Amino acid sequence: LESLLAPRTPIQQIRSYVLGQAHGGFDVADSECAGDATEDVNSASAWTRVFERATSLGELTSSDSELLSAVSQELLTCPHGRQHAFGVGLGRASKGPLEHWAMMCEVFTRANESERNTSLLKGFLRGLRATQPAAASALLDRLVADPLLADVFPEMQDGAWDTASGDRLLRSLEHGLAPAHRYSISIAHHDCEG
């Protein structure tokens, strides 16, 4: 039965591995450990495999604009899942980061504000920073004063911080386009990363 129900197409796999509920209820990670006797003691490796799968699906999607377009609305509005891991893979493997970013931002800004989820965008920037740091920095620089996205900019400042990151946060404060709680999210996340 499991093999009949297993996701086969890339869209089905993204919906299962990336958009599946990561906490509570049934999750794809639960089935990942079903055949491994060592997982009865510790399911952490099953969760790790699912996150790695979400990242590899992002990498796969980086070369398929139609696939990204088909799932971007769900990826940017689903309140739970592994969109960050998917975004890391997408950003890391992207050969057209400006095009990917523009498409995702267009979908994000069209979404109902109360349904928006920044995880995919943050993951994309983190992955891009690993392979194309200048491109990631340029996107963040533009985001500071972007009339449609500046309100979420502080959340995008995810991961490694440097002088440019601090300068961007100061410019963002000067522009006054992001609400104060967005800065606390950025700072709290940075504190957790060390």
Side-chain angles (χ1 to χ4, degrees):
L1 181 64
E2 185 178 331
S3 63
L4 291 172
L5 296 174
R8 298 189 193 294
T9 68
I11 288 179
Q12 291 171 343
Q13 291 175 29
I14 290 167
R15 287 181 177 145
S16 294
Y17 287 92
V18 180
L19 296 171
Q21 188 165 337
H23 303 288
F26 181 74
D27 180 60
V28 72
D30 298 329
S31 68
E32 286 287 311
C33 64
D36 189 345
T38 61
E39 297 302 331
D40 292 336
V41 177
N42 182 357
S43 63
S45 65
W47 285 91
T48 300
R49 285 194 306 268
V50 172
F51 274 88
E52 289 170 353
R53 181 71 176 141
T55 302
S56 70
L57 285 166
E59 292 170 349
L60 171 82
T61 304
S62 73
S63 62
D64 189 340
S65 295
E66 288 182 25
L67 176 58
L68 181 59
S69 181
V71 296
S72 61
Q73 179 72 29
E74 292 172 86
L75 290 168
L76 291 161
T77 59
C78 185
H80 52 74
R82 298 174 186 86
Q83 294 94 316
H84 190 273
F86 181 91
V88 169
L90 180 67
R92 204 167 40 204
S94 181
K95 301 295 184 228
L98 298 179
E99 294 82 12
H100 286 145
W101 181 257
M103 190 276 298
M104 290 185 298
C105 288
E106 180 183 334
V107 171
F108 182 81
T109 57
R110 281 186 304 179
N112 183 322
E113 215 170 307
S114 66
E115 296 177 350
R116 293 177 183 170
N117 182 340
T118 59
S119 297
L120 175 66
L121 299 173
K122 289 188 289 190
F124 180 81
L125 287 169
R126 179 173 283 212
L128 188 61
R129 193 177 306 118
T131 57
Q132 300 179 56
S137 185
L139 289 174
L140 284 165
D141 285 341
R142 281 194 272 165
L143 196 56
V144 170
D146 184 299
L148 298 174
L149 294 164
D151 65 318
V152 297
F153 162 74
E155 286 183 54
M156 299 299 116
Q157 194 81 1
D158 184 36
W161 285 45
D162 56 16
T163 302
S165 304
D167 290 345
R168 279 192 289 271
L169 282 175
L170 290 173
R171 284 197 316 274
S172 176
L173 284 166
E174 289 170 5
H175 287 292
L177 298 173
H181 76 276
R182 300 280 190 196
Y183 295 96
S184 63
I185 292 169
S186 176
I187 292 167
H189 183 74
H190 174 63
D191 288 345
C192 292
E193 300 244 336

